[in-house]
Amino acid sequence: MAQGSRRMVSGLGRIACAIAALLLCAVAMGHAAAATKAAAATKAATTTKAAATTKAAATTNAAAATKAPNDKDCLSCHNLKANAKLQARPVSVYVNAETFQPSVHSTLGCVSCHSDIHAFPHPDPVKPVSCAGCHPNQTSAYAGSVHAIAKRGTKQRFPACLDCHGNPHGMRAKTDPKSRVYPLNLPRTCGTCHGNAEIAKKYGFPDVYALYMDSIHGFALTSDGLLVAATCASCHGAHDILSRKDPKSRTFPGNVPATCGTCHAGVQVAYLAGAHGKAMIAGRANAPVCTNCHTSHQITQVGVVNWQLKTVATCGNCHKARLQSYRDTFHGQVTELGFVATARCWSCHGSHEVLKASDPKSKVAPANLPATCGKCHQGVTASFVSYEPHPNPHDRRQNPALYYAALFMNLLLLGVFFFFGLHTALWLARSLTVGKRGKDNGVSGEQ
Amino acid sequence: MNSNDSDRYYFRFSLGQRYLHGLVIVTFLGLAATGMTLRFSERGWARWLAETTGGFTAVLSLHKFCAVLLSAGFLYHIGDILFRAIIKKDRGLFFGPNSMTPQPKDAEDLFKMLRWFLWMGPQPEFDHFAYWEKFDYWAVFWGMAIIGATGYMMWFGPFFARFVPGYVLNIALLIHGEEALLAVWFIFIVHFFNSHLRPEKFPLDPVIFTGRVSSKEYQHERPLDYSRLSESGTLEMLRSDPPPRWLKNFSRLIAVIAVGIGFFLLALTWIAFWSG
């Protein structure tokens, strides 16, 4: 209520001041009857011509000293870039009327935000503006965020409202393509700090901007301007960004599937039904979530060869023995060579709905193996699928035939090379000692 | 200039045998290079080789191409043996001085040779094939049979799995790879040394390329064979012209290339194997 009435007062005040300024201006020109000249004076008062406005403002002082100033009053000083007195201040107080006009705040008067100003000219200093007056939800969300917490702890200048949203006098709505927080612009805004190696190092957070920009999300954003592409805020939130270590954070491992599932709903369902998802729900600390395989920022299109090759090792981070035994197969060898024309982990196990072989729905359940192997191999029979895709020649129980074959081959190699190694070495030593004599006798064969 | 130029020469290997050896050189090197690329696929050089060759598909196609050529050579050789045994009724093929079959004399020669290595006695007198040459032959024979069979099993996996369980393919790959490593190292170390690089022969014994051996060399290296052939009069039927200069140069070229590639592959696989 108080605010509303003050606004009304200031509105009336503005009108009164405008009339007063016109009249006084006319008087000052000396000829009230000269209608054409009065019109010219009106024009002078409403434009930013320095001499006229300064003079007008100065003459208004006496009349308006006790009333809150209107926007024109404010701009009479604050719109002057060349004002030496203002320039000398540590913080710019310059307001560009041209950029303010189309801004989201342009419908508000100056004193709506600078509410401690009641006089013109106003006493110095004035209080910093609080955004909370109009944006209470956002500011309270921000107050609990990692940005605000860091700010409190270190007394450093961490991002507050304006660092992301930009100059309040030129601020645009987030749906406006010129806004710093418009989806297509947001990564660059966050990248001011999170893409600056020095700042990242100084405050100990990862330098992720470049990684994101190279990702499939970043590519969709920059290449095609897809507004549905995930930007920083899609995963981290906007005002209430929390550390990924905070269980309430959208990027806390347990919450990641839900966060990604906001867009990738089908994948989320499949993931939650699989062994990884079940382990995550059960609260297993090492249960992989989306980011363990896909990474957080450098998310690659799954068709990319390099990603497919790299991700085999990613599975191997947990499934070490399985990766090792996979590498001993033809599938693994071809993959190691850098080619994807062969089976990799997910070709057989599935990617999101990974199920244990004991689950009848699993792609690697005995009953489903012919179909799974048959995706690549033609003419697959029930006998064929007894092939062991993860053979371990050192494990006698897994496959005795393989174990003994390996043992035999090792002994064969050892035996042959031991015997012929010795044979060759002895022969060489003996031949070197008689080599000369043999040649002299003309029996060395080759001259 | 060359004391052997005025010497008499005899054919020791027929043109067919020399072509067969040539075929084995080319296909074996091809199989080794492409196969070891797969076996040590985690190595940087393997990736480089695969990419340079034109990708994994190209590597595997080359491997299969060489395999088919070598198989054809192998079958030709089997056919030749059968022809000589059945049609020509060559009884010396399976036993006797000209046979590849290991015989008591070979064990004797080996024992004498070991004594000679240790300055404990004279070098044995060899017949048509020395024991290490027989071992070379059987190593390649067994190698082609085993590596070939396991290779075709994997090539036509689902087909073979109709007759044997699928896990036999696991064993096939294991044997294929281990036996191949045995073959590659054996050829590039033992065969190269025994037949070509040992001081008496260095840098190569061209007889398998030229087919011709001088009477002095023949007499010295295979005295039993030489005297028996002389006595029976067969030797003069084997009389040849001296090896032409182009053939000698060609032999050297082939040897340098084969040994170069062989040692290069030997170094790569040796380092890869022992560095785990």
Side-chain angles (χ1 to χ4, degrees):
Chain A
M1 279 302 284
Q3 211 174 33
S5 64
R6 197 157 60 207
R7 245 183 230 172
M8 206 144 76
V9 169
S10 89
L12 289 170
R14 258 186 269 171
I15 296 163
C17 285
I19 295 166
L22 281 174
L23 287 175
L24 284 164
C25 214
V27 170
M29 298 298 284
H31 295 283
T36 48
K37 281 189 181 177
T42 312
K43 200 177 173 189
T46 50
T47 57
T48 56
K49 282 187 179 176
T53 39
T54 315
K55 207 170 178 183
T59 41
T60 316
N61 276 356
T66 52
K67 287 177 190 166
N70 67 23
D71 288 4
K72 288 192 192 73
D73 296 334
C74 301
L75 288 174
S76 65
C77 295
H78 287 280
N79 197 23
L80 298 178
K81 218 169 189 176
N83 188 320
K85 203 176 150 191
L86 296 184
Q87 269 187 342
R89 298 177 63 91
V91 177
S92 170
V93 293
Y94 170 64
V95 176
N96 185 336
E98 280 169 31
T99 55
F100 181 66
Q101 203 55 46
S103 86
V104 73
H105 290 147
S106 68
T107 53
L108 305 173
C110 305
V111 292
S112 305
C113 296
H114 300 281
S115 53
D116 60 325
I117 295 177
H118 303 295
F120 176 60
H122 58 77
D124 196 28
V126 297
K127 276 195 253 172
V129 170
S130 165
C131 303
C134 298
H135 306 286
N137 295 342
Q138 287 85 345
T139 41
S140 63
Y142 169 79
S145 80
V146 71
H147 288 145
I149 289 165
K151 188 183 179 185
R152 244 185 271 131
T154 58
K155 294 183 182 173
Q156 291 286 349
R157 185 178 169 275
F158 272 75
C161 312
L162 305 186
D163 293 299
C164 299
H165 290 280
N167 185 339
H169 301 116
M171 199 179 283
R172 304 289 184 121
K174 66 179 176 186
T175 50
D176 185 325
K178 283 185 179 162
S179 165
R180 282 164 59 91
V181 294
Y182 180 68
L184 300 193
N185 303 331
L186 184 63
R188 200 167 44 224
T189 301
C190 300
T192 313
C193 296
H194 294 279
N196 183 318
E198 268 177 47
I199 296 177
K201 199 180 160 196
K202 186 176 170 190
Y203 296 105
F205 53 71
D207 180 8
V208 293
Y209 173 70
L211 299 181
Y212 168 81
M213 291 308 269
D214 284 342
S215 76
I216 182 66
H217 290 150
F219 180 76
L221 201 80
T222 52
S223 152
D224 295 337
L226 289 184
L227 293 176
V228 291
T231 66
C232 316
S234 315
C235 301
H236 293 278
H239 300 104
D240 53 349
I241 296 173
L242 297 174
S243 160
R244 67 191 153 88
K245 290 167 194 153
D246 188 325
K248 292 199 294 288
S249 167
R250 287 178 179 83
T251 53
F252 181 72
N255 301 332
V256 164
T259 301
C260 299
T262 313
C263 298
H264 302 274
V267 172
Q268 189 194 1
V269 171
Y271 165 80
L272 291 175
H276 291 154
K278 284 174 187 161
M280 193 276 292
I281 293 166
R284 292 255 302 276
N286 59 354
V289 297
C290 318
T291 48
N292 291 85
C293 301
H294 292 278
T295 75
S296 314
H297 294 104
Q298 205 176 9
I299 300 165
T300 312
Q301 200 176 3
V302 293
V304 171
V305 167
N306 275 346
W307 186 80
Q308 295 206 8
L309 294 172
K310 208 169 66 180
T311 306
V312 172
T314 307
C315 299
N317 283 340
C318 298
H319 303 280
K320 286 195 174 67
R322 292 264 133 184
L323 176 63
Q324 194 51 49
S325 52
Y326 166 76
R327 282 185 170 155
D328 284 344
T329 67
F330 183 75
H331 296 146
Q333 288 172 339
V334 173
T335 302
E336 281 286 291
L337 271 187
F339 302 97
V340 292
T342 188
R344 285 166 309 289
C345 317
W346 50 91
S347 314
C348 305
H349 296 279
S351 24
H352 297 113
E353 197 170 350
V354 181
L355 291 170
K356 285 185 177 173
S358 53
D359 188 321
K361 278 188 294 183
S362 167
K363 285 173 191 285
V364 292
N368 300 332
L369 277 176
T372 302
C373 301
K375 284 197 292 180
C376 301
H377 297 279
Q378 285 174 342
V380 168
T381 55
S383 165
F384 178 75
V385 302
S386 78
Y387 172 79
E388 176 51 72
H390 294 278
N392 180 3
H394 307 297
D395 185 350
R396 191 165 53 181
R397 275 182 306 175
Q398 186 203 38
N399 193 332
L402 185 67
Y403 173 84
Y404 287 111
L407 193 68
F408 173 76
M409 290 311 296
N410 284 341
L411 290 175
L412 180 70
L413 260 77
L414 212 66
V416 168
F417 287 117
F418 176 76
F419 180 78
F420 276 99
L422 200 66
H423 189 272
T424 302
L426 287 172
W427 196 345
L428 179 65
R430 184 71 169 87
S431 292
L432 285 175
T433 53
V434 294
K436 276 282 173 213
R437 204 177 59 206
K439 284 206 171 185
D440 289 343
N441 293 343
V443 292
S444 61
E446 167 72 354
Q447 295 274 318
Chain B
M1 39 190 255
N2 193 325
S3 63
N4 286 344
D5 279 352
S6 56
D7 205 353
R8 287 162 298 157
Y9 279 86
Y10 301 100
F11 276 118
R12 177 156 153 71
F13 291 115
S14 72
L15 195 60
Q17 286 167 327
R18 283 141 63 191
Y19 273 130
L20 203 58
H21 183 255
L23 177 76
V24 172
I25 292 181
V26 173
T27 55
F28 184 81
L29 289 176
L31 284 163
T34 50
M36 289 302 148
T37 297
L38 264 175
R39 183 155 188 327
F40 296 106
S41 53
E42 76 285 358
R43 297 284 142 180
W45 57 261
R47 274 194 169 211
W48 179 86
L49 257 176
E51 270 156 31
T52 310
T53 312
F56 154 72
T57 322
V59 171
L60 193 63
S61 301
L62 273 175
H63 194 78
K64 288 174 175 172
F65 176 72
C66 290
V68 169
L69 279 184
L70 186 57
S71 305
F74 183 70
L75 291 177
Y76 166 80
H77 179 66
I78 299 286
D80 184 45
I81 287 172
L82 291 176
F83 174 76
R84 280 153 65 183
I86 298 166
I87 311 290
K88 290 186 125 186
K89 308 220 186 297
D90 181 357
R91 299 182 67 189
L93 193 62
F94 297 111
F95 203 80
N98 288 321
S99 168
M100 272 293 179
T101 312
Q103 289 157 47
K105 185 184 181 313
D106 294 311
E108 220 171 282
D109 286 353
L110 170 62
F111 182 69
K112 282 184 188 163
M113 194 71 166
L114 290 173
R115 281 173 62 84
W116 177 71
F117 288 162
L118 301 170
W119 299 82
M120 288 163 68
Q123 226 174 340
E125 296 197 322
F126 294 109
D127 212 313
H128 194 69
F129 293 115
Y131 68 87
W132 70 83
E133 287 164 336
K134 290 186 180 179
F135 192 92
D136 268 9
Y137 173 84
W138 286 110
V140 174
F141 194 97
W142 146 276
M144 282 196 289
I146 296 294
I147 303 178
T150 50
Y152 285 112
M153 278 177 84
M154 292 188 287
W155 187 349
F156 305 103
F159 173 77
F160 277 95
R162 287 193 214 165
F163 315 107
V164 292
Y167 69 77
V168 172
L169 296 173
N170 292 116
I171 299 168
L173 177 63
L174 179 109
I175 293 176
H176 191 82
E178 294 295 291
E179 181 67 30
L181 197 64
L182 175 64
V184 164
W185 286 355
F186 189 86
I187 294 294
F188 297 157
I189 300 172
V190 182
H191 171 71
F192 276 9
F193 175 83
N194 286 353
S195 299
H196 302 288
L197 298 177
R198 66 188 155 98
E200 299 94 319
K201 297 286 177 191
F202 191 85
L204 84 152
D205 185 350
V207 64
I208 193 64
F209 302 105
T210 64
R212 299 153 169 92
V213 63
S214 76
S215 71
K216 272 184 185 169
E217 196 180 336
Y218 209 164
Q219 224 169 336
H220 174 71
E221 289 191 344
R222 301 168 209 280
L224 299 181
D225 194 25
Y226 187 83
S227 54
R228 193 179 52 255
L229 288 172
S230 305
E231 282 162 24
S232 66
T234 323
L235 192 62
E236 280 317 298
M237 290 165 66
L238 297 172
R239 186 72 186 271
S240 82
D241 54 329
R245 177 182 284 266
W246 73 266
L247 195 52
K248 287 210 284 192
N249 287 336
F250 180 69
S251 310
R252 291 193 183 104
L253 182 70
I254 295 290
V256 166
I257 293 172
V259 171
I261 296 174
F263 277 7
F264 183 60
L265 283 173
L266 176 66
L268 290 177
T269 52
W270 188 266
I271 293 166
F273 184 82
W274 292 110
S275 57

